[in-house]
Amino acid sequence: MRIKKGLTLLTAFTLVFSLLTVNVQAASTPFTQGGGYEQGAYDSLSMQPTGHNWNRNSRFAAVNSNVHLKWKYQMPSGGNSSIVLDEEGTIFTKNYEGPLYPKFNIHAINPDGTLKWEQPITDNLVYGTPVINNQKKLIIPAGSKLLTLDTIDGSVTELSLPTSYSNEVLIGNDGTLYLSGIAGRLAAYNPDGTLKWRSSFESTQHAGYPALSKQGALIFKAGYGSGGSLYSFNSQTGEKNWEYRGVVGSETRSAPAIAEDGTIYATSQDGYVYAINPDGTLKWKFTVEKSISATETIDPIVGPDGTIYAINGTKDFYAINPDGTLKWVYNSKAMYSSPIIDKNNLIYFGVGGKVVALDSNGEEQWSLDLRAANFVSAPAIAEDGTIYIADSSGAVFAIGGGVNPTDPTDPTVPPVDPKPPVNPVGERAIFVITLNNGTEKEYDLSMEEVQQFINWYEGRAAGAGPITFAINKHDNNKGPFKQRQDYIVFDKIITFEVNEY
């Protein structure tokens, strides 16, 4: 009996991954940004450490039964900030006080809706959301400063910058901080606060929020009025890779979406959803309604099956196939913030004072009327399924209810069926999976079937693909099982072992 070297390394990796998973107290699995994104140095134990620069596919299942308002926390005003959640479920957001002092406040709210702390900031308003780095600190730019806040008590340390950068901070996998702002400003700072590089692009207006691809490209929109472009910059050198002209609407509270294959999706104010290849060439564009303003143009997100979900700030919610054809449209009022997808492939968003849940076929699962103002906060999902969202009045809503377990037969989360031959032949292996309840399942499988499982597991670990995998047990199954097929849930796997013979 022998074990291939590559499989031994993979098994070792899964053992390390499982140890990390077991030791997490608040979040059952580490936060990942999705297959198309570079995994940055965010706090991987946080429930949701960033508002953007990820595929917005939550690793948690959101409430989907007995849905109700748990509590409402009222800030003095809105702040156009998405919500982030730390490891303990603390909610972080901000509000803007206008011309008064302090200019804005960072709020830390306990999971029960009580105030944990509030930190006033007297510097200029920022447009971004605070993010949580791997040191468990909040990072947010404020005028010509970069602020670091302690998540426990809100205490602040400051890093002075030579100019102002107003957007949400983007963190690379080595801890590099990427900043963008008005007048074509783009820079990268090392984790110790020293300048890595400074660059520029042709714009006198705000750049949109950036995203970082797994190939190391900074992707963002910039421009205003009839002029606008989608840019790609080298994240290591600051050099421009390419510019695609015609994508209008830079001052969005969102970032371009990056699919598993590197395709970039962005919405233009003039009424198009663009699919751009990684080399900057047009793949396709899809017609939607024109947006009223740049700030109401929200970029798409991509679902686990590759579906592109797009809104435009005017009306309707579109599901678009990867080839650019319409999958379905949900008729709605204007939406002003990004949606989120839970682990059961249900889509949640705020619109018209309500929070709505759709399945992957566009069918409404539930709607909760909060009589809210416009939702300018992209929602967040906690480990217990609670949905958090904020509106333009400064109200933060916590939506509770029951979380139904994932059903492997649910068509919205189809299992992967390897469909092997009845009597597989060739190289074989004793394949052992250990689950988090202590159960050990053993199978005698062909190496083709083992490789299918490995491909699924690696894809799911990167945030892509269904959460279940179907193993055909044949007549050679070694365990005391009655069914002919076992559905293995990704989150239940502690480790697996491959013993080829």
Side-chain angles (χ1 to χ4, degrees), residues 340-406:
I340 193 169
I341 303 173
D342 81 344
K343 70 179 292 183
N344 291 336
N345 207 14
L346 297 179
I347 308 120
Y348 301 83
F349 53 85
V351 60
K354 302 177 181 180
V355 173
V356 178
L358 303 181
D359 67 16
S360 58
N361 296 314
E363 297 295 328
E364 187 173 302
Q365 301 302 291
W366 57 260
S367 173
L368 181 64
D369 190 357
L370 300 173
R371 300 185 179 181
N374 290 334
F375 291 106
V376 293
S377 153
I381 299 173
E383 186 180 26
D384 65 358
T386 301
I387 301 169
Y388 298 105
I389 192 168
D391 71 7
S392 59
S393 77
V396 179
F397 301 91
I399 300 167
V403 179
N404 295 331
T406 303

Side-chain angles (χ1 to χ4, degrees), residues 31 70 79 87 135 158 184 248 265 299 302 397 436-437 482:
F31 170 80
K70 288 173 64 175
E87 182 181 0
Q135 303 300 310
E158 300 179 351
V248 182
Y265 299 103
D299 291 305
V302 181
F397 301 91
N436 60 7
N437 63 0
K482 297 179 180 179

Side-chain angles (χ1 to χ4, degrees), residues 1 33-34 106 119 224 331 336 368 398:
M1 191 174 293
Q33 291 168 247
I106 304 293
Q119 181 58 256
Y224 190 72
N331 299 124
Y336 303 104
L368 181 64

Side-chain angles (χ1 to χ4, degrees), residues 190-212:
N190 295 306
D192 62 2
T194 58
L195 180 67
K196 185 172 185 177
W197 54 255
R198 184 180 295 118
S199 189
S200 63
F201 48 90
E202 298 177 4
S203 177
T204 58
Q205 304 298 323
H206 275 288
Y209 289 177
L212 182 59

Side-chain angles (χ1 to χ4, degrees), residues 10-310:
L10 180 60
T11 303
F13 167 78
T14 54
L15 282 169
V16 172
F17 179 84
S18 66
L19 288 173
L20 290 173
T21 304
V22 170
N23 289 331
V24 175
Q25 293 182 355
S28 58
T29 55
F31 170 80
T32 58
Q33 291 168 247
Y37 297 80
E38 178 178 290
Q39 184 65 36
Y42 298 95
D43 181 16
S44 64
L45 300 187
S46 287
M47 296 181 188
Q48 189 172 308
T50 180
H52 301 283
N53 186 38
W54 67 300
N55 60 9
R56 295 199 57 79
N57 287 208
S58 174
R59 65 200 193 275
F60 304 124
V63 295
N64 50 21
S65 63
N66 190 29
V67 178
H68 62 277
L69 177 64
K70 288 173 64 175
W71 50 257
K72 173 182 174 182
Y73 175 89
Q74 186 65 56
M75 299 185 294
S77 58
N80 293 346
S81 171
S82 297
I83 287 172
V84 296
L85 307 172
D86 71 5
E87 182 181 0
E88 306 302 325
T90 306
I91 303 105
F92 299 99
T93 188
K94 78 175 195 293
N95 79 288
Y96 176 48
E97 299 290 350
L100 305 175
Y101 289 92
K103 288 290 186 69
F104 63 97
N105 298 277
I106 304 293
H107 296 255
I109 308 167
N110 293 309
D112 62 1
T114 58
L115 179 65
K116 184 175 183 178
W117 53 257
E118 180 180 347
Q119 181 58 256
I121 308 294
T122 59
D123 299 284
N124 293 329
L125 169 71
V126 299
Y127 293 92
T129 295
V131 300
I132 308 174
N133 68 7
N134 59 4
Q135 303 300 310
K136 301 185 184 300
K137 303 291 185 182
L138 288 177
I139 308 292
I140 190 168
S144 57
K145 298 176 182 177
L146 191 63
L147 306 182
T148 301
L149 287 79
D150 191 291
T151 55
I152 303 300
D153 59 13
S155 56
V156 181
T157 57
E158 300 179 351
L159 171 66
S160 295
L161 303 173
T163 187
S164 62
Y165 298 93
S166 55
N167 285 337
E168 180 177 311
V169 175
L170 188 157
I171 307 179
N173 60 16
D174 61 355
T176 300
L177 304 174
Y178 297 98
L179 304 172
S180 60
I182 62 172
R185 296 169 184 167
L186 187 67
Y189 283 81
N190 295 306
D192 62 2
T194 58
L195 180 67
K196 185 172 185 177
W197 54 255
R198 184 180 295 118
S199 189
S200 63
F201 48 90
E202 298 177 4
S203 177
T204 58
Q205 304 298 323
H206 275 288
Y209 289 177
L212 182 59
S213 75
K214 63 183 178 182
Q215 289 80 25
L218 286 170
I219 309 293
F220 60 91
K221 296 188 298 187
Y224 190 72
S226 60
S229 295
L230 182 72
Y231 289 93
S232 171
F233 275 74
N234 186 306
S235 63
Q236 295 303 310
T237 66
E239 297 179 351
K240 184 170 74 172
N241 296 324
W242 48 259
E243 174 184 356
Y244 184 89
R245 295 185 179 273
V247 182
V248 182
S250 63
E251 298 187 48
T252 57
R253 295 181 288 269
S254 62
I258 307 175
E260 177 74 29
D261 63 359
T263 302
I264 302 153
Y265 299 103
T267 303
S268 178
Q269 184 185 341
D270 60 359
Y272 295 101
V273 175
Y274 286 88
I276 306 295
N277 293 307
D279 62 359
T281 57
L282 178 67
K283 190 172 185 177
W284 50 256
K285 64 179 183 179
F286 181 90
T287 303
V288 294
E289 296 287 332
K290 293 183 179 180
S291 297
I292 298 172
S293 70
T295 55
E296 295 173 353
T297 305
I298 305 298
D299 291 305
I301 64 172
V302 181
D305 61 354
T307 300
I308 302 97
Y309 297 102

